[in-house]
Amino acid sequence: MKNLADLELLRNQYKNEIENENRDKVIVLIGMGTCGIAAGAKKVLAALQKEVQDHALYNVIIKETGCIGMCEQEVLVDIARPGEVRITYGKVKPENAKILVEEHIINGRPVKNLAVGKFLDGNEDKGFADIPKYSDLPFWKKQQHLVLGHCGVIDPNSLKEYVADGGYVGLCKALTTLSAEEVINEIKKSGLRGRGGGGFPTGVKWQFAHDSKADQKYIICNADEGDPGAFMDRSVMEGDPHRLVEGMVIGGYAIGATEGYIYVRAEYPLAIRRLQKAIADAEAAGFLGNNIFGTDFNFHLHIKEGAGAFVCGEETALMQSIEGKRGMPRPRPPFPAVSGLWGKPTNINNVETFANVAMILVNGGEWYAKMGTEGSKGTKVFALTGKIKHTGLAEVPMGTTLREIIFDIGGGIANDKKFKAVQIGGPSGGCLPESMLDLPVDYDSLIKAGAMMGSGGLVVMDETTCMVDVAKFFLTFTQSESCGKCTPCREGTKRMLEVLNRIIDGKGKIEDLDILEDLAGTIKDTALCGLGQTAPNPVLATLRYFRNEYEAHIKEHHCTAGACKALTKYEITNLCKGCGLCKRNCPAGAISGEPKGQHKIDENKCIKCGACFNNCPFKAIVRC
């Protein structure tokens, strides 16, 4: 292949082959991302295969696909009979395989109590009328899938399906019709900013690396994704690995790199396997390797498995790790664009950033720039976790509010409890309160609010969450993950953690709040790398928006959420009916009392677990 016309011929060939393979066949797709497998997808797959075999159904094709984003509904199974709409079934168990095969596959009757939604209009007369369209589901209404466009739709192991749906057109266009400078200009026009946390303009970053003169350059994908509650990059690599490969090759061409590395954490074995296959298939097809698309451009891609150190998400530590050294940050300047991997000019972006690149080359930078806000273009993928009804992935236009993401897409707070805060940006981000729910999610608005975009993790918290304890959790994480190279991060976060533990244990003093803020300011100003500089953010954000909780811990020796055991006490009031539920559920044997008589809690035995409080049907137990 030497041009777009050749690629279009291949694309049409693949489309025809897929159509012929699927003609008069029932297509069954099973969500085989990590979330699906964890929910039991392998057993569901085996059960479906057995039912199909037992019924001698030779017109059924069962395929794997990635995560479509509805992680809360896993295991997900899609069934499309010839000429009919595709129906998605959620929370499928192995025992459901028989009814799905016999009712839907054989008789064409959808199993409505398992159905989540349908992909297309039509066929209402076949019993599909009361199954909602995907576009009508609250989870989907405000989403716009670009990066996740193929996830849950195509087989991630199939180069043929990727190419048939427009794959590698962006790469071909770049190599055969545009110069490296023109590619960079399209990325600049798009307004794409790095999706890994900092939000630096991608085109500008590429320009720096392009302008550096050297005999060898490198391009790296940071797929380390170490933030608690973040799984966006993993889902893209598992569900659409060729999109990452294509974006990296385009980036390599733009800056003049001939070697690329995907630095992916070893805890992502499925993502690694699918990337390895994608790289091998792309090389065999001529999309990777030497003289790509008949040009003189050569590019080779490698996978480096990281050992799980959070600090290796920092770009200079990441490069140290690739070089076989201990992953520790180094001072900047020089910046990687000048002296990076093995001292050569290097560009580093994360998975989601590269996943946007091919679409921009196909449709143009101006097309992309029409989405989002003035300073934050395009869409952003978020991982919804914590005390939220619909956990999973959501891709929304930049500028969508936190309220829309949490309540419209995520369905609100689990168990209908009261919203308290959302942690955005991981350990480097901040906790935002209810008053900030209408904040548009874009880089600049979040920074002003004391948080940051980060890679896109959203951890939702309800009224039972203690914000002092949350600050301690994230600071414990960053302190334990500190590489120890610089004193402000190594010692400063340790001192901050000691103060937080003192407050949580009921031994805090009001001046401790000033100490926390002074330590935080010093660490932010003097730590060596970005991870150390942002480590105090969760503490500063909780002090900014939830200072009253800190003061209650110190002045009143009281945790309003009842989460800090040293400051929590349970009492049984005269509302007690003597049902005995509290006594039966107490793991410490701390509750005594006769049937139908008021029970009592032995303070010396009580471990403050809250089991009695949660199990009392008469609300006779109070937390004080």
Side-chain angles (χ1 to χ4, degrees), residues 170-185 187 206-207 209-211 217-219 245-260 287-288 291-293 295-300 347 354 357 361:
L171 174 61
C172 184
K173 182 178 179 181
L175 294 188
T176 62
T177 69
L178 300 174
S179 66
E181 291 85 352
E182 288 172 326
V183 170
I184 292 173
N185 285 336
I187 301 299
W206 286 14
Q207 187 73 63
H210 171 272
D211 292 344
K217 296 181 182 180
Y218 298 97
I219 195 160
V245 172
E246 183 177 6
M248 288 194 71
V249 183
I250 293 171
Y253 172 69
I255 72 167
T258 57
E259 298 282 337
F287 301 134
L288 266 178
N291 305 117
I292 303 173
F293 284 107
T295 68
D296 59 358
F297 177 63
N298 306 324
F299 189 81
H300 298 271
N347 179 87
F354 282 121
V357 168
L361 267 293

Side-chain angles (χ1 to χ4, degrees), residues 24-25 34 66 76 99 232 254 307 353 402 412 440 444 511 606:
D24 300 324
K25 301 290 196 308
T34 294
L76 289 160
I99 192 171
M232 303 75 58
T353 309
L402 286 169
D444 303 321
E511 53 264 34
C606 179

Side-chain angles (χ1 to χ4, degrees), residues 472 475-476 479 490-505 507-508 512 515-516 519:
K472 174 193 169 184
L475 193 64
T476 300
Q479 204 282 320
R490 182 185 68 245
E491 299 299 328
T493 56
K494 191 173 184 178
R495 299 288 85 80
M496 289 184 72
L497 191 56
E498 288 173 354
V499 174
L500 286 174
N501 278 321
R502 192 159 66 230
I503 294 172
I504 284 173
D505 289 340
K507 301 174 184 177
D512 283 338
I515 293 173
L516 283 173
L519 282 168

